[in-house]
Amino acid sequence: MAAQAAVAAQAAAAQAAQAEAAESWYLALLGFAEHFRTSSPPKIRLCVHCLQAVFPFKPPQRIEARTHLQLGSVLYHHTKNSEQARSHLEKANSVDAAKPLLRKAIQISQQTPYWHCRLLFQLAQLHTLEKDLVSACDLLGVGAEYARVVGSEYTRALFLLSKGMLLLMERKLQEVHPLLTLCGQIVENWQGNPIQKESLRVFFLVLQVTHYLDAGQVKSVKPCLKQLQQCIQTISTLHDDEILPSNPADLFHWLPKEHMCVLVYLVTVMHSMQAGYLEKAQKYTDKALMQLEKLKMLDCSPILSSFQVILLEHIIMCRLVTGHKATALQEISQVCQLCQQSPRLFSNHAAQLHTLLGLYCVSVNCMDNAEAQFTTALRVRCRPSLYGAGLTNHQELWAFIVTNLASVYIREGNRHQELYSLLERINPDHSFPVSSHCLRAAAFYVRGLFSFFQGRYNEAKRFLRETLKMSNAEDLNRLTACSLVLLGHIFYVLGNHRESNNMVVPAMQLASKIPDMSVQLWSSALLRDLNKACGNAMDAHEAAQMHQNFSQQLLQDHIEACSLPEHNLITWTDGPPPVQFQAQNGPNTSLASLL
């Protein structure tokens, strides 16, 4: 017995010595890598060599995965070798190794409802990250049926709502509608913890609101949005109940209520931007960003950075409309900084980031750069991504980019072949590629704009009247203002001054309400010329003064934006965001922090 103990002690000592030796070489290589990374200037090639030297030692799986993560991060942030960075990050995630283990665990956990449900959620999440939404939906369906069998209507609703979210991402609308109807019934009938019930209602209403907004139905969504806002007010007054549910399958929560508050602010911003209530969008963006800053001090959840990026994307578009290009450009740079900190975030938002730069380029009349940015956005939108499904894969984003690229070609006036090809792909009279009411109305506007530049005024009027009909039906104020002023311009060219005035005056009123600086500039110029033509000297002088004021504001903002160092972003069309625009006062992530 004593001899066996002695042998065991010797073996343990040998293992400890081996582990200590392994730890020492690993820490030495890691220390050298960190030294080279933080040198001034950084010696990235040597840093990478030190990290690569870990693999010949055949380290434990935990260290191997961590080293792949560190290499991927260094290559992503400090080089243009995005494919190699992606390869290392993929190896660090080891999704393929996790799935069989989860499937086995799911098989043997059926008698423990909490763990069985949790494992189903986790495996569904892995499939979602791989963009295998069909498998993810199947697992969520299995989870919903299991929750029903074990008597957990609450968790059944969570599974079904999660499935509904994925079906919305896949645009399987015929399956979404009956599923959401069933979810609504379950949520209303379930009697349990008030916070859990209200959180289910928030989840349900968020899906409904985003479904309407994706469809461009800004007016139709208002009742659902109002219910959502009332629901979040209710949940913010409720105190967390520490009493555990009697059914272990109910031990889940969708989101913390602080995160739900930010999410409701976010969908309110999305609605306000689409509807053209840009001051309201600014108000709720400020509230949401303030809340996010407080949360991020205590919570490093990746979803908070996603919320922040989506908020910034929307407020940037608002700034460009209201004539604050310099501020928009600085916020685009802020999105770049956030994306530099997270390869997954960049992968999911690269197309939107290039689209925003394209819109900025249009606003400062850099049309060649605008074309390059929109073309890049289309290219990265179609690129396969390790990091899962995001808004980059939506057909709505594709249609938005193509519509704006077409408007660039129209303004350039010499890209007829490319323009005709694009217009055919977004023809609102035939098989328009997306179901969005708003984007279809915008496609009619672009058609009208093209016909105007071609001098085909009757055809232009037909397209623009279609835009007006659609935008009025859903309170799309900015499209309404743009259509009215362009119709007013057409009637002015045709010499019908009375009809022109009937279009331009409401266009100006609506543009002032939004406020849309470009439409105000255009409308004031037309009002000046109309009143001159009609002999109304005082009104012509007043309109000329307004036009002068708008011109000065836009020119000053234009000069300020173009003089910013961030203006160089308009030339970036490949790889991750430029390193020189990293936050000066942000956290400096070291290799050790990835341990």
Side-chain angles (χ1 to χ4, degrees):
M1 197 76 173
Q4 288 177 341
V7 171
Q10 287 177 346
Q15 286 177 345
Q18 187 179 6
E20 186 177 353
E23 188 75 9
S24 62
W25 65 255
Y26 173 63
L27 290 176
L29 286 171
L30 189 68
F32 279 125
E34 180 68 354
H35 167 73
F36 290 131
R37 191 189 74 86
T38 56
S39 298
S40 183
K43 299 174 181 177
I44 298 303
R45 187 170 62 84
L46 293 174
C47 171
V48 169
H49 283 327
C50 288
L51 291 172
Q52 287 173 332
V54 171
F55 299 123
F57 286 93
K58 299 190 181 303
Q61 188 176 7
R62 175 177 59 87
I63 289 179
E64 184 178 352
R66 186 183 300 150
T67 306
H68 279 301
L69 176 62
Q70 291 161 343
L71 270 168
S73 180
V74 168
L75 291 168
Y76 175 79
H77 285 101
H78 297 283
T79 74
K80 291 186 177 181
N81 197 338
S82 57
E83 290 306 315
Q84 194 173 351
R86 185 177 307 220
S87 174
H88 281 293
L89 291 168
E90 184 174 16
K91 290 173 184 174
N93 283 324
S94 61
V95 171
D96 288 336
K99 285 190 293 188
L101 294 174
L102 285 170
R103 289 193 191 100
K104 181 66 175 175
I106 287 168
Q107 287 176 3
I108 63 177
S109 64
Q110 294 193 29
Q111 302 307 312
T112 51
Y114 168 76
W115 283 106
H116 190 67
C117 291
R118 181 169 178 173
L119 292 165
L120 283 167
F121 274 126
Q122 193 168 356
L123 185 54
Q125 185 178 25
L126 286 184
H127 282 298
T128 303
L129 287 172
E130 291 188 317
K131 297 187 180 180
D132 184 2
L133 300 188
V134 173
S135 296
C137 283
D138 288 343
L139 282 164
L140 293 169
V142 170
E145 179 58 20
Y146 176 83
R148 185 192 68 79
V149 170
V150 298
S152 175
E153 288 295 284
Y154 168 76
T155 302
R156 181 189 178 200
L158 276 181
F159 275 114
L160 291 174
L161 287 167
S162 300
K163 182 178 179 179
M165 180 172 65
L166 297 188
L167 290 172
L168 281 173
M169 289 168 64
E170 285 193 285
R171 294 301 183 263
K172 292 185 175 179
L173 303 184
Q174 290 185 339
E175 295 180 48
V176 168
H177 295 148
L179 186 67
L180 287 183
T181 300
L182 174 60
C183 288
Q185 293 169 354
I186 294 172
V187 171
E188 290 307 313
N189 293 334
W190 185 71
Q191 301 299 321
N193 182 304
I195 286 186
Q196 285 184 310
K197 183 178 177 70
E198 290 304 311
S199 72
L200 285 179
R201 290 191 70 218
V202 170
F203 195 171
F204 171 69
L205 289 167
V206 163
L207 291 185
Q208 283 202 314
V209 169
T210 51
H211 177 38
Y212 276 117
L213 292 178
D214 275 350
Q217 296 175 333
V218 173
K219 185 176 182 179
S220 304
V221 77
K222 286 182 179 179
C224 284
L225 183 59
K226 187 174 181 181
Q227 285 182 58
L228 178 59
Q229 291 165 340
Q230 290 170 343
C231 189
I232 202 65
Q233 286 178 349
T234 300
I235 208 170
S236 63
T237 64
L238 296 173
H239 296 289
D240 291 329
D241 192 347
E242 295 181 0
I243 300 172
L244 293 176
S246 57
N247 189 335
D250 287 346
L251 288 169
F252 293 96
H253 201 61
W254 176 49
L255 281 177
K257 63 182 180 181
E258 296 82 8
H259 291 197
M260 284 189 269
C261 287
V262 175
L263 181 56
V264 174
Y265 284 142
L266 173 56
V267 295
T268 303
V269 169
M270 292 167 65
H271 173 262
S272 300
M273 192 210 71
Q274 279 199 35
Y277 306 134
L278 302 192
E279 289 179 349
K280 185 178 179 181
Q282 175 66 63
K283 171 186 166 185
Y284 280 99
T285 298
D286 290 344
K287 286 186 175 183
L289 290 175
M290 191 180 302
Q291 180 82 354
L292 276 170
E293 287 304 313
K294 291 177 183 176
L295 289 173
K296 289 178 82 172
M297 284 191 244
L298 304 170
D299 186 348
C300 59
S301 173
I303 199 171
L304 297 179
S305 293
S306 296
F307 286 164
Q308 188 175 1
V309 166
I310 298 170
L311 276 165
L312 287 169
E313 286 171 354
H314 283 79
I315 202 59
I316 287 163
M317 288 188 278
C318 292
R319 306 267 197 221
L320 293 174
V321 172
T322 57
H324 297 94
K325 295 184 281 289
T327 305
L329 184 57
Q330 290 168 327
E331 287 167 339
I332 290 173
S333 179
Q334 191 178 345
V335 175
C336 288
Q337 293 162 21
L338 288 166
C339 288
Q340 283 167 359
Q341 297 164 18
S342 168
R344 177 177 293 172
L345 203 59
F346 175 64
S347 178
N348 285 339
H349 291 269
Q352 290 93 321
L353 192 46
H354 285 289
T355 302
L356 291 171
L357 281 168
L359 295 173
Y360 167 76
C361 291
V362 171
S363 74
V364 292
N365 207 33
C366 296
M367 291 301 164
D368 289 343
N369 296 104
E371 179 186 348
Q373 290 297 336
F374 289 136
T375 304
T376 301
L378 289 172
R379 185 181 75 246
V380 301
R381 190 195 72 87
C382 299
R383 182 184 297 162
S385 167
L386 163 67
Y387 298 106
L391 294 176
T392 51
N393 297 310
H394 282 185
Q395 279 293 97
E396 282 79 3
L397 178 59
W398 175 87
F400 181 79
I401 297 167
V402 169
T403 302
N404 280 282
L405 182 57
S407 71
V408 169
Y409 288 155
I410 290 170
R411 290 175 66 170
E412 286 182 320
N414 58 354
R415 305 295 297 277
H416 299 299
Q417 186 173 350
E418 295 95 329
L419 179 58
Y420 282 120
S421 174
L422 287 181
L423 291 177
E424 189 57 37
R425 296 169 76 187
I426 53 168
N427 189 340
D429 278 327
H430 300 298
S431 53
F432 193 63
V434 296
S435 59
S436 172
H437 183 94
C438 178
L439 286 170
R440 188 163 175 263
F444 274 117
Y445 176 80
V446 169
R447 285 263 172 172
L449 185 67
F450 179 56
S451 298
F452 168 74
F453 274 96
Q454 294 285 303
R456 302 195 300 270
Y457 298 127
N458 286 333
E459 183 180 86
K461 285 190 285 184
R462 181 182 78 79
F463 287 129
L464 293 170
R465 283 172 178 148
E466 195 64 37
T467 305
L468 273 180
K469 183 174 74 175
M470 294 185 71
S471 56
N472 284 332
E474 285 292 341
D475 290 347
L476 304 171
N477 290 332
R478 187 159 185 256
L479 266 177
T480 300
C482 290
S483 302
L484 284 171
V485 73
L486 184 49
L487 276 169
H489 201 134
I490 290 169
F491 284 120
Y492 176 77
V493 171
L494 294 173
N496 189 339
H497 294 165
R498 181 178 177 181
E499 196 63 31
S500 177
N501 191 71
N502 289 341
M503 299 289 138
V504 177
V505 169
M508 175 62 105
Q509 292 169 343
L510 196 52
S512 302
K513 180 182 172 184
I514 291 172
D516 185 324
M517 189 66 79
S518 296
V519 174
Q520 285 177 293
L521 181 73
W522 191 357
S523 299
S524 59
L526 278 170
L527 286 172
R528 176 198 61 202
D529 296 343
L530 274 170
N531 283 301
K532 273 185 183 178
C534 296
N536 302 325
M538 289 185 63
D539 291 338
H541 177 73
E542 183 181 343
Q545 190 62 51
M546 279 196 299
H547 185 264
Q548 178 69 15
N549 292 339
F550 293 136
S551 297
Q552 287 299 319
Q553 289 178 53
L554 284 168
L555 179 60
Q556 185 176 352
D557 183 52
H558 180 102
I559 293 170
E560 183 183 351
C562 292
S563 65
L564 290 171
E566 292 87 349
H567 182 74
N568 292 321
L569 278 170
I570 68 173
T571 63
W572 163 57
T573 56
D574 189 41
V579 175
Q580 61 263 35
F581 295 107
Q582 285 183 333
Q584 297 300 309
N585 300 317
N588 182 18
T589 303
S590 68
L591 290 172
S593 72
L594 296 173
L595 293 175

